[in-house]
Amino acid sequence: MTRTFRNRRTALLYILPALFLILSLVFLPIVLNLYNSLFRWNSFDPGRTFVGLEYYIRLFKDPVFYTALKNNSLYAIISLVFQVGGGLIIAAILEDKLIRRFQPFFRTIFFIPSVISIAVVGLLWQLLYNPEVGLVNGALKAIGQAEWAHSWLGDSEVAIYAVVAVSQWQYTGYMAMLFLIAMQKIPFEYYEAAMIDGASRIKTFFNITVPQIKEMLLVGSVITVIGAFKVFDEVYIMTFGGPGRSTEVLGTMLYRSAFRNDEMGYASTIGTIVFVITLTLSLVQLKLGKSGQEV
Amino acid sequence: MKIKAKLLLVAMLALSLFVAGCSSSSSTNEEESGKVVLKFLHKWPQPEFAPYFEEVVKEFEKQNPDIKIKMEAIADEPIKDKLRVILGGNEVPDIMFSWSGEFARKFVRADAALDLTPYLNEDAAWKDSFIPASLQPFSADGKNYGIPLRFNGKFFIYNKEIFEKYNLEAPKTWDEFLDVLETLKKGGETPIILGNQSPWAAIHYLTGLNQKMVSQDIRMKDYNPGSGEFTDSGYVKAMEMFADLNKKGYLMKDANSSSHDMAKQLFFAGKGAIFYVELEEFADADKNMKGNWGFFPMPSIEDGNGSQNYITGAPDGFIVSSKTKHPEEAIKFLKFLTSKESALKLVEQIGWPSPIDGATNPDTALKEVAEGVDFMKQAEGMAEWLDTDVHAKVADVYLTNIQLLLDGSKSPEAIIKEVQDVAKQVQSEVE
């Protein structure tokens, strides 16, 4: 009895440093952020005024907040379709025995974008999207679709799609890679058995491949969706929320409030909302993820 | 007992790690050896500018062996964030960069800037060495809070070859300006090059138009965060005039998709006739166009209520932290930085116009830069950049909406309405 007790005390001793760090670097800031959102303050002035829930009320009345939410959701949906859906299809094609011997080549090609720094990607696409000298409009003209040419990042109607598209270009290959790894763990006997039974390729894909990599699909979707609500850098570099506020996402809205408009309290409020959204999504993940042992 | 001791040890270890992490940068060797250390923050880390500052600092340290300058440089955009972050902490530099106008007054309101008036009054020779229009934008309530380092004005530059082709001359009035643009457009040229990806580029047009359309008293009252209303009809008219340039097809297409630098390259390549630039860009223009360019200030507007003899522009400079322990030494350094020798070197070495009277002359600077400074000296006053002269939140409304004005999704009335709403909100927040 005393022994277990002692062990627990010792265990606590080992946990303590990490616990201390997590408490002070993760949990304390969350609580502080909540507290800060109740005050009007800026970094220039040491003084603060208590405003209570005023900023929360203002946020829910702020049209930009809904633009941001809409843009984040667009990010999530489009990313689910392209990164998870598209990634899965790419992975399935690469795993097909006809293509498999070229797989290393394609794998590298598809994976490259995801290892380039976002700052570089942002600047690169800014140039590609340029209506005068950019490659995108040039390519459209070359294939005879000149009327599709656009001022991609400069038009408040299409800019957000142009920004979201860059993300798809960058991360679809990454997702495909995750799915490939999962697929390679599926025992070949399953496919052999299916072949003997005369199942078509499509059928084996839906009845063997997809169920076997269910866990990875789930993880992929959750990463994508949470990532979509935390997105900041691509938008910051390519448009900074513009033209107007049309490409604003929660991340850039927070940044703008804090570091341009000197409203730290409002920024904290947005931070709290981002926290609530991502926490909810993580809880959903935990709930859905319970079925599996892997990951 | 043993465990308690262990526990204590671990706790102390964790704590000491934490404390060490927090206070790594406080004391330095120089302080111990009796030297005064001044922290100096500016915004020119670029390789073409940084050497100048290094040289000046080295020279100053040689002349003042008991003072050590710790210099840090952070680029234009990031320094806007950096200043906000450091002011919240305890590591405020003694001397730091600031734009003039509202940006500097923000420091003043927060009691973060040292009042420099007594130091300037003490040394009349120093005070008189500045062109008066360069000190004024750094003042609030009749006190001086900043020392200008460079002087910047905004001018239209034009491609001489294109102008000659159509027999055009630099316009003096807005109507003449419109005629010039119409001729250029009919000739199939792009009349004005504009890169508005960062919307300050278009806001600089509005800076001048607002100043020329709205009377000085009303504009100053509106630009003050405590009393801003923006109800004068001149604000809408100014914005309409700018929107008209776009509607009539005088501005480059898809301006929102090009950065100012990209636009500059287009202009240098002869792809457009007129481009609105700052004085500090003149050297660049001359390098790329070799005499094939001229310049003129924003033309006067006949029915404008503001003074027509103003130049758009403002000085950039430095403020001293109110928390500094060494105000005397900081002033000494600023005096050195703005001495005639340093100013001459600034003009010669990097081509910036200096606020020191006489430093920018045809011998040290490009002929056009010297002429530009003359324009500024003769002007009645300066219209400071709209985006740093009004409260940050008002500026934000102007900046984001000017892009929507250009892509046609918002009208001038709607934008000014939004400006008025924010101004009201700001008024209630600034005591």
Side-chain angles (χ1 to χ4, degrees):
Chain A
M1 201 50 201
T2 25
R3 213 174 154 71
T4 13
F5 182 63
R6 276 194 155 204
N7 275 344
R8 255 187 220 162
R9 287 275 289 270
T10 326
L12 189 71
L13 206 71
Y14 285 106
I15 297 170
L16 205 65
L19 194 69
F20 173 74
L21 285 176
I22 287 182
L23 281 179
S24 62
L25 296 177
V26 178
F27 289 97
L28 184 68
I30 291 174
V31 176
L32 273 180
N33 186 61
L34 195 64
Y35 175 74
N36 284 337
S37 69
L38 305 177
F39 292 87
R40 177 164 71 231
W41 58 291
N42 67 40
S43 45
F44 285 84
D45 212 332
R48 320 171 134 211
T49 329
F50 182 76
V51 293
L53 292 176
E54 194 193 298
Y55 280 137
Y56 288 88
I57 296 165
R58 198 178 118 196
L59 184 69
F60 286 106
K61 283 185 188 161
D62 191 341
V64 179
F65 174 60
Y66 294 100
T67 314
L69 265 188
K70 194 196 86 195
N71 286 341
N72 279 119
S73 311
L74 259 180
Y75 239 103
I77 294 166
I78 297 179
S79 302
L80 269 182
V81 172
F82 281 89
Q83 289 175 30
V84 179
L88 182 65
I89 293 170
I90 290 176
I93 293 173
L94 290 185
E95 259 302 276
D96 193 282
K97 57 181 181 298
L98 289 178
I99 314 236
R100 203 176 290 161
R101 62 201 178 97
F102 304 111
Q103 203 194 67
F105 173 72
F106 285 112
R107 233 169 29 198
T108 317
I109 295 285
F110 289 137
F111 194 65
I112 282 175
S114 66
V115 295
I116 307 175
S117 132
I118 291 204
V120 176
V121 168
L123 293 174
L124 174 77
W125 278 90
Q126 219 173 48
L127 203 67
L128 292 178
Y129 278 139
N130 185 290
E132 302 298 321
V133 296
L135 205 64
V136 174
N137 278 357
L140 285 173
K141 276 171 200 157
I143 58 165
Q145 298 293 343
E147 70 269 30
W148 288 0
H150 244 292
S151 156
W152 297 103
L153 294 174
D155 183 336
S156 51
E157 299 278 310
V158 298
I160 184 65
Y161 297 99
V163 173
V164 174
V166 172
S167 234
Q168 311 317 315
W169 169 80
Q170 197 176 7
Y171 292 121
T172 303
Y174 180 75
M175 277 295 157
M177 225 45 59
L178 289 184
F179 297 148
L180 258 183
I181 293 163
M183 283 177 191
Q184 280 164 358
K185 281 196 202 156
I186 304 173
F188 187 64
E189 289 77 21
Y190 290 7
Y191 291 104
E192 240 172 7
M195 242 152 56
I196 291 167
D197 287 347
S200 70
R201 276 217 179 91
I202 306 282
K203 224 169 185 173
T204 41
F205 173 71
F206 281 110
N207 291 328
I208 298 174
T209 314
V210 174
Q212 284 293 318
I213 61 162
K214 205 179 76 201
E215 307 299 337
M216 193 53 98
L217 275 173
L218 186 74
V219 172
S221 325
V222 172
I223 295 176
T224 313
V225 171
I226 291 180
F229 279 90
K230 292 197 309 186
V231 64
F232 170 73
D233 18 24
E234 291 111 295
V235 182
Y236 177 80
I237 292 162
M238 280 191 279
T239 62
F240 196 56
R245 311 286 296 258
S246 64
T247 57
E248 202 90 66
V249 288
L250 290 169
T252 52
M253 192 185 171
L254 185 155
Y255 182 87
R256 194 195 289 263
S257 307
F259 297 110
R260 285 297 141 86
N261 297 357
D262 297 322
E263 292 189 294
M264 291 291 176
Y266 197 43
S268 305
T269 308
I270 301 168
T272 309
I273 296 296
V274 174
F275 171 67
V276 169
I277 292 173
T278 46
L279 180 72
T280 317
L281 291 172
S282 311
L283 290 177
V284 171
Q285 171 199 20
L286 284 179
K287 187 134 181 61
L288 290 176
K290 239 181 207 157
S291 60
Q293 300 84 29
E294 240 185 295
V295 178
Chain B
M1 204 50 218
K2 226 174 151 190
I3 282 167
K4 255 191 185 163
K6 266 191 204 164
L7 202 80
L8 199 74
L9 195 78
V10 171
M12 271 172 65
L13 212 84
L15 200 74
S16 66
L17 260 174
F18 188 69
V19 171
C22 290
S23 65
S24 60
S25 55
S26 56
S27 73
T28 53
N29 291 334
E30 285 84 3
E31 261 166 342
E32 282 154 22
S33 67
K35 270 191 185 177
V36 172
V37 178
L38 286 178
K39 280 205 201 106
F40 172 51
L41 173 71
H42 68 77
K43 68 151 195 169
W44 297 285
Q46 300 95 318
E48 60 266 46
F49 308 135
Y52 168 77
F53 289 95
E54 273 154 26
E55 271 174 47
V56 172
V57 163
K58 213 176 271 168
E59 184 60 34
F60 177 75
E61 282 176 343
K62 211 164 85 189
Q63 291 182 18
N64 300 274
D66 52 337
I67 303 176
K68 159 99 182 133
I69 306 278
K70 247 172 101 181
M71 183 163 58
E72 192 184 355
I74 290 161
D76 185 273
E77 277 291 315
I79 202 172
K80 290 175 184 162
D81 310 334
K82 171 88 175 177
L83 283 170
R84 287 168 166 88
V85 175
I86 46 175
L87 276 168
N90 297 321
E91 296 279 305
V92 186
D94 300 279
I95 302 162
M96 52 198 146
F97 171 84
S98 170
W99 281 272
S100 53
E102 166 64 18
F103 196 92
R105 284 194 290 274
K106 209 157 30 186
F107 293 94
V108 176
R109 276 202 302 276
D111 279 326
L114 187 71
D115 178 9
L116 304 177
T117 330
Y119 300 100
L120 277 162
N121 287 342
E122 210 170 72
D123 189 345
W126 185 38
K127 189 180 181 183
D128 293 340
S129 71
F130 292 100
I131 297 171
S134 69
L135 272 178
Q136 193 273 327
F138 273 114
S139 64
D141 308 323
K143 288 176 185 156
N144 285 299
Y145 288 98
I147 298 298
L149 173 81
R150 68 169 179 181
F151 208 12
N152 228 334
K154 196 95 178 175
F155 294 93
F156 287 102
I157 57 175
Y158 61 90
N159 186 320
K160 266 189 185 162
E161 211 173 279
I162 298 180
F163 263 50
E164 271 158 23
K165 190 170 154 198
Y166 298 96
N167 247 330
L168 295 170
E169 263 174 46
K172 294 230 158 42
T173 66
W174 194 258
D175 290 334
E176 283 176 33
F177 184 52
L178 293 178
D179 288 342
V180 166
L181 295 174
E182 186 62 34
T183 317
L184 287 166
K185 189 189 150 196
K186 276 193 186 135
E189 308 283 344
T190 303
I192 298 177
I193 292 279
L194 170 68
N196 198 40
Q197 196 171 55
S198 300
W200 56 259
I203 284 300
H204 283 181
Y205 278 82
L206 225 49
T207 305
L209 288 170
N210 268 358
Q211 181 275 319
K212 287 187 172 16
M213 292 305 291
V214 180
S215 85
Q216 187 69 8
D217 307 343
I218 298 177
R219 195 170 61 91
M220 286 293 89
K221 193 192 102 236
D222 285 334
Y223 282 16
N224 180 344
S227 58
E229 283 175 335
F230 291 87
T231 45
D232 193 280
S233 62
Y235 295 112
V236 178
K237 271 190 216 150
M239 200 170 271
E240 270 168 359
M241 288 168 81
F242 179 67
D244 275 348
L245 293 182
N246 188 41
K247 261 187 223 149
K248 289 180 182 156
Y250 299 155
L251 297 182
M252 175 179 124
K253 253 181 66 193
D254 300 330
N256 286 339
S257 316
S258 279
S259 69
H260 182 73
D261 287 331
M262 237 184 251
K264 204 192 282 187
Q265 296 312 319
L266 286 177
F267 181 77
F268 290 160
K271 295 256 168 70
I274 298 172
F275 188 37
Y276 202 31
V277 299
E278 287 167 33
L279 207 47
E280 62 171 73
E281 294 170 275
F282 275 22
D284 207 12
D286 199 64
K287 207 167 73 195
N288 285 283
M289 302 186 63
K290 295 183 191 72
N292 181 27
W293 64 286
F295 76 103
F296 57 91
M298 181 174 271
S300 58
I301 300 163
E302 285 95 80
D303 53 354
N305 288 332
S307 158
Q308 300 308 312
N309 188 23
Y310 262 55
I311 295 282
T312 297
D316 291 337
F318 298 100
I319 55 173
V320 178
S321 163
S322 59
K323 287 183 191 151
T324 179
K325 289 190 195 98
H326 315 291
E328 297 291 335
E329 285 81 1
I331 296 294
K332 205 169 179 182
F333 179 65
L334 282 176
K335 272 186 191 171
F336 185 80
L337 207 57
T338 52
S339 67
K340 189 93 180 218
E341 294 86 73
S342 301
L344 283 171
K345 209 164 139 194
L346 175 95
V347 179
E348 258 172 319
Q349 213 164 316
I350 40 188
W352 289 348
S354 164
I356 303 300
D357 207 353
T360 321
N361 59 48
D363 293 334
T364 54
L366 210 60
K367 181 177 109 269
E368 284 88 353
V369 175
E371 281 170 21
V373 171
D374 274 342
F375 262 119
M376 283 151 65
K377 263 158 73 176
Q378 284 154 18
E380 243 170 89
M382 306 285 289
E384 291 160 46
W385 317 123
L386 180 60
D387 53 332
T388 53
D389 203 20
V390 295
H391 190 274
K393 277 164 79 174
V394 178
D396 191 46
V397 173
Y398 259 112
L399 285 165
T400 51
N401 281 310
I402 200 82
Q403 291 183 320
L404 299 180
L405 185 80
L406 282 178
D407 78 5
S409 48
K410 239 181 194 172
S411 71
E413 289 84 9
I415 296 172
I416 296 298
K417 174 80 197 8
E418 225 172 281
V419 170
Q420 289 166 356
D421 291 346
V422 171
K424 212 178 282 166
Q425 202 190 2
V426 167
Q427 232 188 68
S428 69
E429 285 171 8
V430 180
E431 290 85 356

